[in-house]
Amino acid sequence: MNMAQALGRLGVRAEDRRKLRLMTPIFLICGIAEALTYNGFITLFSQRFGSEYLPYLYTAEAFILPLEAWFMSWLAMKLSKPALMKTMYAVMTAILLADTGVLAALKLADLDARWFYPVLFLTSSFVVRQQTVLLWSLAVDVCPTQQAKRLMPLFVSGATLGGAAGGLATQMLSPLGAEWVYGLGPLLLIAASFNYRKAIVQYLVPLALKAQAAAEDEGASSFIYMKRTFRSPFLLGVMGLMTLMPALYYLAEFLFLNTAHASYPDEQQFARMFGIVSTLLFLLAFAVQLVSGKLVAWFGASGMLVAIAAAYAAAFGLSAVLLGSETAAVTAAAGAYMLTNVLIFYSAEPSYQLFYKTLPMQHRDGYRYAAQGLASFFGILLGAGLQSLHKAAGFSFPILAAVGAGAALLLTALAWTVRRLYMRELVRGVQTLGLDDRELMDSYREFFSNTKAMGAVLTLLRDEQEGVRQIAADIVGRTQDERYVPELLELLGDESPGVRTAALRAMKLTGADLQALVRIGAVLEDEDPAVRAEGVRQMAQMKHLSSQAFFFLRMKLLDPHPAVVAEAVKAMYALESESSYEACFEAIERLLGQGGEPAAHVCGVVAELRLERFGESVERLLQDTHPSVRLAATSCLGKLGAAHVVPQLLERLPAGDQELMRVTEQALIDMGHLSIEPLLSALPGAHAQIWRVAIGALAVLLPEDDIRGRLTDEALRRMGGLDKVAGYASAFRAVGREELAELAALRFNGQRQRILEGVWSLLVRLTDEQVVASIRRALADADDETKSSGLEVLAEGAGDRRLAQRLSVVLQTDYDDRGRLSATIEEARTALEHASRSADDWWPEMAAEAGRERGGQVEAQGALGRLGKVIYLKNVPFFADLTLEELGLIAGIASERVFEDGEALLLRGSTSDALYVIVDGNVELTSVTAAGLEATLGVLGAGEVCGATSALDESASTVSAHALLGDVRALGLQREALTRLVRLYPDIGLGLLRASLARVRLLEEMLMRIDS
């Protein structure tokens, strides 16, 4: 098995490997450096100054921490995130190098400067603390959430293995002296700095580009958060845990260092022993990392803290017994130290963060950081106080361990109390946070092992609020527990269809009895189709009652709603009997033959069940008149792997909309390697929309080397050809066709946009989706400096140097100026000849139009082609701001119609299924005033629109519209087709809205004048 296969088994995807190769060495090397630094300064301090003075050092550190936090906050405000990361890394390396230099000078001069070792302890402790924060901050910032879930365990493993290697290195270097152990740390940091800086440049710098900032809570401050924390028993308990747990860790460390110092007075022996403990510590950490997910799933996150506290109590209790033994004292103290060290860092912190998820999103960090700052201060002070009991009060080490055991028992009781309060907060969160805060639902597994908490949830099934009942049913459903089926069956009589659906979805019916099946069968006649469909889905679980379920499901194959029939087909198929298969195939054939909405629904079933036998029938639906059916058939064929239809799918794209492009691209991706060759052969000279979809699919399907080669070269050629296409507008102006020049500018912008979208899709694969999104946000920012920063990132070669730098040039080129340049007649003819041979169907059509002699303002009746409609629509205020692609789509759905003199286009009080763009003639608008008089409101002429409001919102028209003084020629846009375009292209809807509002204001003014 090769490395790629091994990483694949660990869940690592192809797009993760580049980041993994770059960042794993950082964690590994820095893990070694951290272990060496820690082992070195602890050895030097314990042996040359005295571990009995640790309480004083920790007390000093407690007061230094607020200053450190202030300094870090000040530095963060002064520097960008990448600059801060680089600066802090440089500061940490410099501190370690300076300390190493002092140690070397003392060694060479043979001086015993005891005053230096507390300074060494405090400065090195700062470095170790900030190094951990810095590395995890880098990993969290550069990895999106889902990628972090895949890579963070590997980063953690790299750091822990590095720590184990650092322990082994300590053992080998200890004969040379602790100075050598310590001095190797900064050298390793320097070695890791190359990858560290590269990761910042490639990933963090783009992410740090200015984006639109979300609105911040102006009234909150650390003081307010702290005050609210002290008013909440739950949050106060959480802060207590965050204080007690590190205090006990400091006590375990104190017991270990002093016991070890007494047993190993020789510095080299102490360093060697400490290296062994460090190696075991990090191996233990690595083992905990491997099983931490299962432990959290077993105990629950809040239950994990109770288990950790109990482990603390057991460790201190055992230490209290064994510390009196000379042979077992060091082993007991080392064991307690390792256990507390590992558990506090690998299990406690996630639990703390989980608790704060019960708070609203915008306040979580404020509460957590305020509490952590105070808890760190008191935790260190408390730990120092417990340590001082040895020297100040004369407590022996066994007694001190017993005190620790007592404190750990108190910690256990507090953890148990906090867990109960946490359950109460979750129940309260159901009622207060609402349906929008779905992140809270991840925490509800805490309910499943708590009878009282589940009892509280079951009471919410009868709550007055519909939303609460739905969430409660959702929680019950996550338990997948058959015991709650009776309570959920009662909800099937609820007045809300949403609650009935949620109750059905929550049921686990794999072992349900016949009575439950009959109750579900009754739901199959519910008036709401969504409820019926969910009932069918749930009945499919009852394979143990397959014959009885077959009876109910067979009837649903004739349901009037196609969504229910589709679910019935899937449920019948799941019964896995010959009779059910025959019934399913019969229903599928019937629905496919009906076309329309039924065919669209059943295409999804054919795709989900991978029923290749219906491939030909689905393929015929690609020609269906309904857009939704064509989309469903496209998606289905993709999942069936029907690669022979790739040319057919691609040839539809030039006249397609955004949704067709998106669905086609996904279908090509679903086909996998089967679609690669047809797509590669279609790339050269392809229409811009075909090229965009093909590039997008190939960017997913091809390996990275092929993307850097063939696809990058193709993208560079496409961007290089933009200069020539940009000159078409000036060619049309040179031959006196200004209206075509305007359309040429629109078409060029559309082509350019499609090419850029394809290039961005390549960069996503070559670098990182999050990075590309940040660069694009920066480039779209109104601030010139932010935009310039985004261009600079591209110029640095993000993803692929050739591609990114060429993209930067294209983005900075003013193609509008090139389109306005004057051209000679000869140059214009050459350009138009080139345009006539373009694969883009708009250019040959515009070039042919430029060669014709211009007639009147409007072509002869019935002769308006697509280009003629577009030229006309471009001058209509409703559509003036649309792209050529959008105008072409509107032209595609516009049908010419002639109204004879006096014929009605609209009737007052009736709804209209179309809006009309007047091409020729006059239309009189009339209405009835408040006084009951019928009056003329105005007369519309060519280029104006009537019936827009009624057509868009299906309301009754407030005016009548009749052809006046002759025939009226108009372009009609049907409601169904127009609303679909508005959904896909919001700019069309905005244009219609602005024009409609202007018309409404005009009519209101007319009515007021008439009434007066």
Side-chain angles (χ1 to χ4, degrees):
M1 182 171 62
N2 58 32
M3 181 60 70
Q5 291 174 327
L7 291 174
R9 292 193 174 185
L10 293 174
V12 177
R13 300 179 181 176
E15 62 267 26
D16 303 331
R17 293 171 191 163
R18 189 184 312 106
K19 196 172 291 183
L20 190 65
R21 287 195 300 267
L22 180 63
M23 296 184 61
T24 302
I26 301 174
F27 282 87
L28 179 65
I29 297 173
C30 288
I32 300 173
E34 181 179 344
L36 291 170
T37 301
Y38 183 75
N39 294 347
F41 84 77
I42 287 293
T43 299
L44 289 165
F45 177 83
S46 299
Q47 295 297 110
R48 301 184 185 181
F49 193 82
S51 56
E52 66 271 16
Y53 294 103
L54 276 175
Y56 304 108
L57 265 295
Y58 281 128
T59 302
E61 197 169 40
F63 287 96
I64 290 173
L65 275 175
L67 296 176
E68 181 183 316
W70 171 84
F71 171 73
M72 293 300 299
S73 300
W74 175 83
L75 201 60
M77 289 188 294
K78 295 293 183 181
L79 301 174
S80 66
K81 185 63 178 287
L84 176 65
M85 301 286 280
K86 292 178 183 177
T87 300
M88 285 306 301
Y89 197 93
V91 167
M92 292 188 310
T93 306
I95 289 174
L96 295 185
L97 286 173
D99 286 342
T100 300
V102 174
L103 288 173
L106 293 175
K107 180 80 170 178
L108 291 174
D110 196 22
L111 295 176
D112 184 18
R114 293 187 74 236
W115 58 267
F116 173 68
Y117 297 105
V119 175
L120 177 70
F121 183 98
L122 293 174
T123 54
S124 301
S125 181
F126 166 80
V127 170
V128 169
R129 185 165 54 247
Q130 292 303 325
Q131 179 179 322
T132 302
V133 172
L134 205 62
L135 289 184
W136 295 122
S137 177
L138 177 67
V140 169
D141 285 338
V142 305
C143 294
T145 302
Q146 296 304 316
Q147 188 179 56
K149 290 180 179 179
R150 300 190 296 269
L151 297 187
M152 289 297 274
L154 297 175
F155 293 157
V156 170
S157 300
T160 52
L161 290 176
L168 294 173
T170 300
Q171 297 174 54
M172 291 187 291
L173 293 172
S174 57
L176 301 176
E179 293 92 348
W180 286 87
V181 175
Y182 186 89
L184 186 57
L187 298 180
L188 289 171
L189 286 184
I190 293 172
S193 66
F194 297 100
N195 275 33
Y196 180 82
R197 295 179 68 86
K198 189 175 181 181
I200 289 176
V201 170
Q202 288 194 2
Y203 298 110
L204 192 58
V205 169
L207 296 179
L209 295 172
K210 178 183 173 184
Q212 292 183 345
E216 297 181 357
D217 183 29
E218 298 178 356
S221 67
S222 296
F223 175 75
I224 293 175
Y225 286 128
M226 195 55 60
K227 185 170 66 173
R228 293 174 183 172
T229 297
F230 280 105
R231 290 178 179 175
S232 168
F234 168 63
L235 294 178
L236 193 59
V238 174
M239 195 171 74
L241 291 175
M242 296 167 68
T243 301
L244 269 176
M245 197 167 285
L248 289 174
Y249 161 70
Y250 292 131
L251 178 59
E253 182 186 50
F254 179 79
L255 289 171
F256 165 60
L257 291 177
N258 280 276
T259 305
H261 179 61
S263 300
Y264 297 94
D266 181 74
E267 186 176 302
Q268 291 186 7
Q269 292 179 346
F270 184 93
R272 189 180 299 111
M273 177 277 304
F274 205 79
I276 295 172
V277 170
S278 296
T279 303
L280 295 175
L281 169 65
F282 283 102
L283 289 176
L284 176 63
F286 183 72
V288 170
Q289 173 65 25
L290 295 178
V291 299
S292 60
K294 293 182 179 179
L295 289 175
V296 172
W298 186 17
F299 287 107
S302 63
M304 214 30 210
L305 273 182
V306 179
I308 291 171
Y312 270 41
F316 277 104
L318 189 60
S319 296
V321 174
L322 297 178
L323 280 174
S325 168
E326 293 184 4
T327 56
V330 176
T331 303
Y337 164 71
M338 288 190 291
L339 187 65
T340 54
N341 189 316
V342 170
L343 292 181
I344 192 172
F345 288 110
Y346 283 87
S347 301
E349 178 62 21
S351 298
Y352 297 147
Q353 296 198 24
L354 179 75
F355 289 148
Y356 286 98
K357 283 187 178 181
T358 61
L359 300 170
M361 178 76 73
Q362 66 272 27
H363 297 302
R364 289 176 191 168
D365 284 343
Y367 278 108
R368 185 161 60 88
Y369 292 143
Q372 280 181 338
L374 200 59
S376 297
F377 177 75
F378 285 118
I380 292 177
L381 281 183
L382 180 59
L386 291 173
Q387 293 173 356
S388 66
L389 292 176
H390 172 64
K391 195 166 187 178
F395 283 23
S396 65
F397 291 149
I399 293 177
L400 204 57
V403 172
L409 289 175
L410 177 63
L411 176 67
T412 306
L414 181 59
W416 181 259
T417 302
V418 168
R419 184 172 188 265
R420 293 175 64 86
L421 292 172
Y422 176 56
M423 298 297 178
R424 188 182 304 169
E425 289 296 311
L426 285 177
V427 173
R428 185 186 63 81
V430 174
Q431 298 172 297
T432 58
L433 294 187
L435 285 168
D436 291 335
D437 197 347
R438 307 307 296 178
E439 187 178 3
L440 183 66
M441 298 301 293
D442 294 336
S443 303
Y444 286 147
R445 62 178 180 272
E446 296 289 331
F447 284 124
F448 305 161
S449 58
N450 190 296
T451 305
K452 290 186 178 180
M454 282 306 301
V457 173
L458 292 176
T459 61
L460 295 177
L461 292 174
R462 299 181 292 276
D463 194 273
E464 294 180 357
Q465 299 182 37
E466 176 185 337
V468 173
R469 297 198 299 276
Q470 287 191 38
I471 291 184
D474 193 0
I475 297 172
V476 173
R478 288 169 181 257
T479 67
Q480 286 296 289
D481 195 326
E482 296 179 354
R483 292 178 298 172
Y484 302 117
V485 169
E487 286 85 354
L488 294 170
L489 286 173
E490 292 180 11
L491 282 183
L492 296 183
D494 196 281
E495 61 183 10
S496 166
V499 174
R500 298 198 297 274
T501 302
L504 285 165
R505 191 181 298 117
M507 293 181 189
K508 182 174 177 57
L509 299 171
T510 52
D513 57 18
L514 186 60
Q515 183 179 359
L517 183 141
V518 172
R519 185 71 184 88
I520 301 297
V523 173
L524 300 186
E525 302 304 321
D526 193 281
E527 61 182 11
D528 190 281
V531 177
R532 298 201 303 272
E534 188 60 45
V536 169
R537 275 193 289 270
Q538 295 308 311
M539 189 166 283
Q541 297 183 38
M542 303 183 181
K543 293 183 179 181
H544 59 293
L545 299 173
S546 58
S547 58
Q548 294 88 341
F550 181 87
F551 170 76
F552 288 102
L553 294 174
R554 181 67 182 263
M555 292 189 297
K556 288 294 97 184
L557 292 177
L558 300 174
D559 192 277
H561 198 283
V564 179
V565 179
E567 290 299 331
V569 169
K570 289 191 288 186
M572 291 276 289
Y573 201 84
L575 295 179
E576 298 178 348
S577 66
E578 287 299 324
S579 56
S580 64
Y581 290 153
E582 292 177 6
C584 290
F585 296 155
E586 180 182 336
I588 291 172
E589 288 282 9
R590 173 169 51 83
L591 293 179
L592 288 175
Q594 289 179 12
E597 186 181 5
H601 279 285
V602 83
C603 278
V605 176
V606 172
E608 184 175 339
L609 300 179
R610 297 292 196 272
L611 300 177
E612 296 181 4
R613 62 185 294 172
F614 297 104
E616 292 185 7
S617 299
V618 173
E619 188 175 339
R620 287 194 290 270
L621 294 177
L622 293 175
Q623 310 302 325
D624 195 276
T625 57
H626 296 81
S628 61
V629 178
R630 296 196 295 270
L631 291 173
T634 300
S635 179
C636 178
L637 291 169
K639 290 184 171 63
L640 294 179
H644 65 279
V645 302
V646 170
Q648 187 177 353
L649 297 181
L650 295 178
E651 68 183 15
R652 302 178 308 161
L653 293 175
D657 53 38
Q658 291 177 351
E659 191 170 16
L660 179 64
M661 291 177 63
R662 177 182 58 79
V663 172
T664 301
E665 182 176 339
Q666 186 58 52
L668 296 170
I669 293 171
D670 290 338
M671 291 177 189
H673 69 280
L674 298 174
S675 65
I676 291 178
E677 284 305 320
L679 290 176
L680 288 173
S681 62
L683 279 179
H687 185 281
Q689 292 186 194
I690 294 176
W691 189 87
R692 163 66 187 92
V693 170
I695 282 288
L698 289 170
V700 176
L701 296 172
L702 287 177
E704 185 175 322
D705 289 343
D706 288 345
I707 294 174
R708 291 191 183 276
R710 186 166 182 176
L711 292 192
T712 297
D713 290 342
E714 173 63 28
L716 291 172
R717 280 194 295 271
R718 276 282 173 161
M719 287 190 285
L722 286 173
D723 290 337
K724 182 177 292 186
V725 180
Y728 290 169
S730 60
F732 287 119
R733 286 192 176 90
V735 297
R737 300 301 298 267
E738 183 64 33
E739 77 283 7
L740 291 178
E742 292 181 9
L743 293 185
L746 288 177
R747 186 55 192 156
F748 169 77
N749 288 331
Q751 277 190 302
R752 177 173 174 267
Q753 182 62 31
R754 291 287 179 251
I755 291 171
L756 293 183
E757 287 172 1
V759 173
W760 285 121
S761 68
L762 295 179
L763 287 178
V764 165
R765 179 67 189 281
L766 295 175
T767 175
D768 183 88
E769 184 175 1
Q770 194 180 19
V771 167
V772 170
S774 297
I775 296 173
R776 297 186 71 172
R777 282 197 302 268
L779 295 173
D781 199 282
D783 181 55
D784 289 338
E785 186 176 347
T786 303
K787 190 179 300 182
S788 177
S789 298
L791 292 170
E792 185 177 346
V793 171
L794 286 178
E796 287 293 325
D800 182 89
R801 184 169 296 277
R802 291 186 304 155
L803 195 62
Q805 290 179 345
R806 181 60 188 174
L807 175 60
S808 177
V809 171
V810 170
L811 291 172
Q812 295 177 78
T813 301
D814 190 347
Y815 289 103
D816 290 338
D817 281 349
R818 296 193 179 187
R820 288 189 289 267
L821 294 174
S822 59
T824 65
I825 294 297
E826 188 61 33
E827 290 172 338
R829 288 174 180 170
T830 302
L832 295 181
E833 176 65 23
H834 185 272
S836 67
R837 297 193 301 271
S838 173
D840 187 301
D841 54 336
W842 283 103
W843 296 124
E845 193 170 348
M846 283 191 278
E849 176 64 23
R852 299 192 191 103
E853 292 188 12
R854 279 191 283 183
Q857 182 180 3
V858 180
E859 298 179 45
Q861 181 171 328
L864 271 178
R866 180 180 68 157
L867 186 60
K869 291 178 183 177
V870 166
I871 293 174
Y872 190 78
L873 291 170
K874 182 72 177 68
N875 296 312
V876 176
F878 260 47
F879 312 113
D881 297 329
L882 301 184
T883 67
L884 182 62
E885 179 184 79
E886 293 163 347
L887 289 170
L889 291 171
I890 292 176
I893 66 171
S895 57
E896 291 186 65
R897 184 171 175 184
V898 176
F899 295 88
E900 296 181 356
D901 186 17
E903 186 178 351
L905 285 75
L906 300 170
L907 289 175
R908 182 176 180 273
S910 301
T911 58
S912 174
D913 63 351
L915 68 82
Y916 297 99
V917 181
I918 301 169
V919 177
D920 192 21
N922 301 295
V923 174
E924 181 185 27
L925 299 179
T926 61
S927 187
V928 177
T929 68
L933 301 174
E934 184 171 357
T936 297
L937 301 178
V939 176
L940 304 179
E944 297 190 276
V945 176
C946 67
T949 303
S950 178
L952 289 174
D953 64 7
E954 302 185 51
S955 61
S957 177
T958 57
V959 300
S960 294
H962 293 83
L964 177 68
L965 301 176
D967 294 348
V968 170
R969 186 177 170 206
L971 295 175
L973 304 175
Q974 295 299 312
R975 178 194 301 119
E976 181 181 355
L978 184 61
T979 53
R980 182 170 181 273
L981 287 181
V982 168
R983 175 171 58 83
L984 294 173
Y985 299 91
D987 285 346
I988 295 177
L990 290 175
L992 293 174
L993 179 61
R994 284 194 295 267
S996 296
L997 291 175
R999 179 58 47 76
V1000 169
R1001 285 192 295 270
L1002 177 63
L1003 293 178
E1004 287 175 345
E1005 293 172 2
M1006 290 179 176
L1007 286 171
M1008 291 176 65
R1009 286 199 297 268
I1010 293 172
D1011 285 337
S1012 62

